[in-house]
Amino acid sequence: MARTLLTFLLCIYLTLAFCVIYTDARKRVTKIGPDAVTPGRSNFTYICDPARYAQLGLDIKSFPFCDNKLSYQVRARDLVSQMTLYEKVRQLGNRAYGAPRIGLPEYEWWSEALHGLSNVGPGTFFDDSVAHATSFPTPILTTASFNESLWNTIGKAVSTEARALYNLGHAGLTFWSPTINVARDPRWGRIIETPGEDPFVVGTYAANYVRGLQDVEGTEHYKDLNSRPLKVSACCKHFTAYDVDNWKGVERYSFDAKVTEQDLAETFNRPFQMCVQNGDVSSVMCSYNRVNGIPACADPQLLKQTVRGDWNLHGYIVADCDSIEVMIKNHKWLNVDNETAVSYTLQAGLDLDCGVYYTDNVENAVKHGKVREALVDRSLQYLYVVLMRLGIFDGHSQYNSLGINDVCSNVHIELAAEAAREGIVLLKNDNGILPLATGKYPSLAVVGPHANASIAMIGNYAFDPWNKGTPCRYITPLNGFSSYGRVNYAAGCSNVHCPDGSLIGPAVQAATTSDATIIVAGIDLSIEAESRDRLDLLLPGKQADLINQVANASKGPVVLVIMSAGGLDISFAKNNPKINAILWSGYPGEEGGQAIADIIFGKYNPGGRLPVTWYQADYVDKLPLTSMQLRPDDSNGYPGRTYKFFNGPTVFPFGYGLSYTKFNYTLKAATTKLPIKLTKFQHCRDLPYKNGTFKPNCPAIAIDDLRCRKTFKLAVEVKNVGNRDGDEVVLVYSQPPVGIVGTHIKNLIAFQKVFVAAGTSKTIQFAINTCQGLGIVDSNGNALLPSGAHTIIIGDGAIVSPIQLTYG
């Protein structure tokens, strides 16, 4: 009894000696932290500090996992081998309990960094000593900039603030961001989190943002990627075919996504493949839904074969929170019990459970012979290699100096404003009414439910009001326009639902007495959000009435600003001559109000492009959200989805965006012929062609059978023929040979944003991999490179260039 008590007291002493305990609004977690700056912090910057082990009364030489001369794989294997089964399973949840016996502290895996640090997730917390972090625009708006370097730079800024909070004992270093599901349908509530509807754009955004988060300068091209140092660890989510949250009683927790192999390869999986292979992300999160009958987190083909095997993930796979419980209680998959469920997910390749099902059930599953302990060991090794790469075991000295002055710095605040300015899209500008001349309009009516928006601008996965923490500051539209004139403000509606017209009168009055009118309308998280899909594409309540009445009463120019993620049918405003200009501002982050005002008054020339199609309202009447097919479904009369497969009328198409200047394109050079010599091991594949169209003798070759080293090149001169400097986004599409059945209408294969001063020109060079630029996916999910006459389209069709691919 005395020995048991002594052991118990020793464990308590050891735990308190190296752990810092804090409590947030939902969970109590224990974390290691860096050198003490505030009371209650650990005195140790990293786990394998010799002084730390000495203070714990442990001999560090007895623990080879602390020998930094050994590889991370060897060290992780030793660490896991020193644990008992009970200790092992206690590390498999988002709250890893540590193992005091061997000096291993607790760790909380769950933090979020979708567009800045967040108080969502127990791994990061804010209080009076660290109260703020920079809140950048939500990804859907940042994507509209089509600026890869901007995406990367934001990632770097976010990871710098993350490292600073880690040093201050307020964050871990594992962040379950970004969200990279394709925005397949405009009704999906989480479009706010995504980079849009095009899988290539989504994947390119993911790779750049992840690189910004993870890359340690100078180690981007590390020889052994399993030991490449990490600034922070990112996670691409939610894999896969996840884009139904809660629609007409259908919830993500029980939804079975029926998808074809073609759509999986071509659309749903492609961004994740790019995130793993191009971004070298260190984690992938599986989703709640089933995919063709199997829960995504229990599917070995998706996790073990595809993510881990085919794509060669250097990291771990984590479940969306409580996914195992969802699998049992909502999907009722195979009517399995808890132990059987965790055995299936471990065997499928799921390493970490956000929740308690692994922690509570894996030990018995092993003891009862349902899963091998070796699989537990394998998962833990993946997890601890990531923590070692982060420096949690050995430290990353280059980040030791980061602290509170690196959070909400002037550079980061300006970057948030720049991101909003670059993403905002000009949708209408009749007679060049914008930009408004500074000083010409001394009084401004600023009206609408978002005219004084603050919290709405930062969207979700930012700062939940029930936890401490806020952005660095809010610059509302009202604040922004106040720097350009005397503002007459009227909300016009009590909120975005605008249930009646009782507040329209004051807004109309403001418009009649002001020199110019800005209406800031749209939707918010009460209409589109996680667990909240939309039923229609219209402005809610009386907002359209508010907009029309104010526009009709205004004595000066009228500018409509829309805040939303998904598209809205605002045809009434597009066609109303009294509404002179329209801007889409997404959810523009903490600096959004200033960015909107700066664009309207010409301090910045807009250059953003829509990353999603804005459909007409009746689109949602033609097909259910739950129909996963991208191509038109003629048997049910369903139209296609996204610009790649929908050829009907739109309010505004994908890639649309105006400028205050005008650009002309000239094709300076282009590859027109691509002969490919085949070996005896490369065999022709058939493709279905429409009757009456030419079919080559060798229709296609499997991309897996090709080396895919060839590129084709384009040189495009972009000339600014207007009188204002500006940014232009050059979009390059390909079309497959005419006649192939079931292919896309067009497919974005490259893009580049370029600044061109007024009256000057710049030439952009594109070198595009042939397989990536001209390949297609057939109905069986096979990636093929068709022969024949392909077509390259630049912009909205200003340049069309043929390219002939032949096999011989």
Side-chain angles (χ1 to χ4, degrees):
M1 179 69 180
R3 179 176 294 178
T4 301
L5 179 60
L6 180 62
T7 302
F8 175 72
L9 292 174
L10 178 61
C11 286
I12 291 177
Y13 167 75
L14 292 176
T15 301
L16 293 177
F18 61 79
C19 294
V20 54
I21 300 175
Y22 73 87
T23 303
D24 73 357
R26 290 160 294 173
K27 291 193 178 183
R28 174 177 175 155
V29 295
T30 309
K31 303 177 68 175
I32 62 166
D35 289 337
V37 179
T38 58
R41 184 90 48 70
S42 164
N43 290 322
F44 302 98
T45 58
Y46 54 93
I47 291 174
C48 291
D49 185 337
R52 172 177 175 271
Y53 268 81
Q55 184 172 335
L56 294 174
L58 298 173
D59 181 6
I60 196 170
K61 294 180 181 178
S62 300
F63 303 103
F65 62 80
C66 278
D67 184 352
N68 61 17
K69 296 184 182 64
L70 301 174
S71 71
Y72 290 150
Q73 287 75 16
V74 170
R75 294 172 64 186
R77 191 179 307 118
D78 176 74
L79 171 61
V80 174
S81 70
Q82 296 214 32
M83 295 186 206
T84 65
L85 177 59
Y86 172 77
E87 289 171 330
K88 290 174 184 179
V89 301
R90 299 271 289 171
Q91 320 309 320
L92 290 174
N94 61 286
R95 179 184 178 182
Y97 287 85
R101 183 180 57 82
I102 58 174
L104 184 68
E106 288 196 17
Y107 183 74
E108 175 55 62
W109 287 87
W110 178 13
S111 289
E112 301 283 353
L114 181 66
H115 54 105
L117 299 185
S118 170
N119 63 14
V120 177
T124 302
F125 75 100
F126 295 83
D127 56 19
D128 293 340
S129 66
V130 183
H132 314 288
T134 310
S135 190
F136 296 91
T138 59
I140 192 66
L141 182 68
T142 305
T143 303
S145 70
F146 282 84
N147 184 345
E148 293 185 57
S149 65
L150 175 68
W151 303 338
N152 182 266
T153 301
I154 292 173
K156 289 179 178 178
V158 173
S159 60
T160 292
E161 295 199 358
R163 274 282 173 178
L165 261 69
Y166 174 73
N167 288 351
L168 295 167
H170 281 64
L173 291 175
T174 48
F175 293 86
W176 293 346
S177 305
T179 297
I180 62 164
N181 300 97
V182 170
R184 176 185 57 89
D185 188 288
R187 291 165 285 190
W188 186 35
R190 298 186 78 170
I191 290 178
I192 185 173
E193 302 174 37
T194 74
E197 73 179 37
D198 180 82
F200 171 68
V201 174
V202 175
T204 304
Y205 173 92
N208 279 278
Y209 185 64
V210 165
R211 287 282 181 182
L213 288 173
Q214 293 195 158
D215 284 358
V216 174
E217 189 173 354
T219 67
E220 296 88 348
H221 305 291
Y222 223 65
K223 187 174 181 180
D224 178 12
L225 294 179
N226 283 308
S227 60
R228 187 172 74 93
L230 296 170
K231 188 178 180 184
V232 304
S233 170
C235 174
C236 282
K237 62 184 185 184
H238 312 81
F239 187 69
T240 184
Y242 165 58
D243 55 16
V244 174
D245 263 66
N246 188 351
W247 182 78
K248 293 187 176 182
V250 178
E251 288 192 304
R252 57 183 174 169
Y253 305 118
S254 56
F255 180 60
D256 186 6
K258 301 288 189 181
V259 295
T260 65
E261 290 296 325
Q262 184 177 38
D263 285 339
L264 267 180
E266 184 178 56
T267 299
F268 297 114
N269 288 359
R270 189 182 182 193
F272 290 92
Q273 182 176 4
M274 293 175 69
C275 186
V276 173
Q277 295 184 330
N278 301 350
D280 192 29
V281 75
S282 50
S283 177
V284 170
M285 177 183 286
C286 53
S287 52
Y288 289 117
N289 55 286
R290 282 173 285 160
V291 179
N292 296 326
I294 304 174
C297 292
D299 191 336
Q301 183 175 350
L302 290 177
L303 305 187
K304 187 163 61 176
Q305 178 178 317
T306 302
V307 176
R308 179 75 62 192
D310 296 344
W311 301 344
N312 193 21
L313 173 71
H314 306 112
Y316 67 95
I317 299 173
V318 60
D320 204 345
C321 294
D322 301 316
S323 285
I324 300 176
E325 180 180 11
V326 165
M327 184 174 79
I328 297 167
K329 295 183 178 180
N330 296 79
H331 291 297
K332 295 180 171 52
W333 186 58
L334 303 180
N335 292 315
V336 295
D337 59 21
N338 294 358
E339 291 177 16
T340 304
V342 298
S343 71
Y344 285 165
T345 55
L346 269 170
Q347 292 174 72
L350 180 67
D351 302 308
L352 184 67
D353 173 29
C354 179
V356 298
Y357 268 65
Y358 270 8
T359 305
D360 291 348
N361 298 290
V362 167
E363 184 178 15
N364 282 338
V366 172
K367 289 179 176 178
H368 295 156
K370 294 185 176 182
V371 67
R372 292 181 295 116
E373 188 173 355
L375 295 183
V376 176
D377 295 350
R378 181 192 64 184
S379 290
L380 287 173
Q381 288 166 26
Y382 290 139
L383 292 166
Y384 282 111
V385 165
V386 169
L387 294 186
M388 289 174 182
R389 292 169 62 193
L390 286 164
I392 287 176
F393 280 74
D394 303 322
H396 269 336
S397 59
Q398 65 265 53
Y399 301 123
N400 287 354
S401 64
L402 296 176
I404 193 65
N405 292 333
D406 299 288
V407 182
C408 287
S409 66
N410 290 335
V411 171
H412 290 179
I413 291 172
E414 172 54 28
L415 180 62
E418 176 65 17
R421 289 191 295 261
E422 288 200 33
I424 290 172
V425 180
L426 179 63
L427 298 173
K428 178 182 178 180
N429 193 22
D430 285 354
N431 301 315
I433 192 69
L434 294 184
L436 300 180
T438 304
K440 184 177 179 180
Y441 305 95
S443 63
L444 305 171
V446 181
V447 304
H450 279 317
N452 198 27
S454 57
I455 293 175
M457 294 194 303
I458 64 171
N460 64 347
Y461 283 90
F463 292 96
D464 285 341
W466 51 81
N467 291 325
K468 287 188 175 181
T470 61
C472 312
R473 65 185 189 183
Y474 288 111
I475 304 295
T476 70
L478 196 59
N479 298 146
F481 286 109
S482 293
S483 63
Y484 288 99
R486 186 179 72 257
V487 169
N488 298 317
Y489 165 65
C493 298
S494 57
N495 54 51
V496 296
H497 294 272
C498 208
D500 56 55
S502 61
L503 298 179
I504 292 178
V508 170
Q509 180 62 27
T512 61
T513 58
S514 302
D515 299 304
T517 298
I518 296 97
I519 307 168
V520 192
I523 53 181
D524 63 15
L525 295 182
S526 68
I527 291 171
E528 57 173 354
E530 184 174 6
S531 298
R532 186 173 291 123
D533 298 322
R534 289 192 285 163
L535 297 177
D536 61 56
L537 305 181
L538 300 173
L539 284 169
K542 299 290 184 180
Q543 278 201 50
D545 290 343
L546 166 69
I547 293 166
N548 284 327
Q549 290 184 43
V550 168
N552 289 335
S554 178
K555 72 173 187 177
V558 177
V559 181
L560 173 63
V561 180
I562 295 293
M563 284 192 193
S564 73
L568 291 163
D569 188 344
I570 53 170
S571 298
F572 75 93
K574 177 183 175 182
N575 298 326
N576 185 345
K578 298 283 284 185
I579 298 173
N580 307 101
I582 303 174
L583 293 171
W584 174 70
S585 67
Y587 295 102
E590 63 175 50
E591 301 293 304
Q594 192 64 57
I596 293 167
D598 287 348
I599 284 180
I600 287 176
F601 278 92
K603 189 174 181 180
Y604 186 88
N605 186 352
R609 301 293 189 92
L610 290 178
V612 292
T613 300
W614 283 34
Y615 298 91
Q616 293 180 351
D618 64 353
Y619 179 81
V620 301
D621 301 325
K622 297 176 181 178
L623 75 174
L625 175 60
T626 51
S627 169
M628 300 296 291
Q629 186 167 313
L630 273 293
R631 287 162 175 76
D633 182 351
D634 295 334
S635 63
N636 288 302
Y638 297 164
R641 299 177 183 274
T642 78
Y643 79 92
K644 294 174 68 173
F645 302 107
F646 178 72
N647 60 2
T650 63
V651 182
F652 297 107
F654 171 89
Y656 183 80
L658 304 175
S659 171
Y660 295 156
T661 190
K662 180 176 173 57
F663 299 96
N664 287 342
Y665 295 170
T666 302
L667 185 63
K668 291 296 194 179
T671 302
T672 58
K673 294 182 179 179
L674 276 172
I676 297 177
K677 186 173 179 59
L678 300 179
T679 71
K680 62 181 180 180
F681 301 108
Q682 295 168 322
H683 306 290
C684 297
R685 297 290 189 97
D686 194 21
L687 279 174
Y689 270 74
K690 298 176 183 176
N691 292 333
T693 57
F694 172 74
K695 181 176 182 178
N697 290 330
C698 183
I701 299 293
I703 286 177
D704 285 346
D705 293 339
L706 296 168
R707 292 188 175 183
C708 289
R709 294 176 181 173
K710 279 184 174 288
T711 61
F712 61 93
K713 297 180 180 180
L714 303 166
V716 182
E717 181 188 60
V718 181
K719 187 172 185 180
N720 185 339
V721 297
N723 56 10
R724 287 181 175 272
D725 299 346
D727 293 318
E728 175 69 348
V729 176
V730 180
L731 303 173
V732 180
Y733 299 90
S734 69
Q735 285 182 332
V738 173
I740 300 176
V741 174
T743 57
H744 43 259
I745 299 167
K746 62 179 180 179
N747 181 39
L748 187 68
I749 59 173
F751 60 86
Q752 189 171 329
K753 187 167 194 170
V754 59
F755 173 80
V756 187
T760 68
S761 64
K762 287 185 179 177
T763 298
I764 303 174
Q765 306 285 343
F766 293 98
I768 302 169
N769 180 276
T770 299
C771 293
Q772 293 177 5
L774 304 181
I776 66 170
V777 178
D778 72 9
S779 58
N780 295 317
N782 300 307
L784 304 177
L785 183 61
S787 62
H790 296 257
T791 304
I792 303 302
I793 303 170
I794 300 174
D796 58 1
I799 294 176
V800 178
S801 177
I803 181 168
Q804 186 75 30
L805 190 153
T806 56
Y807 292 118

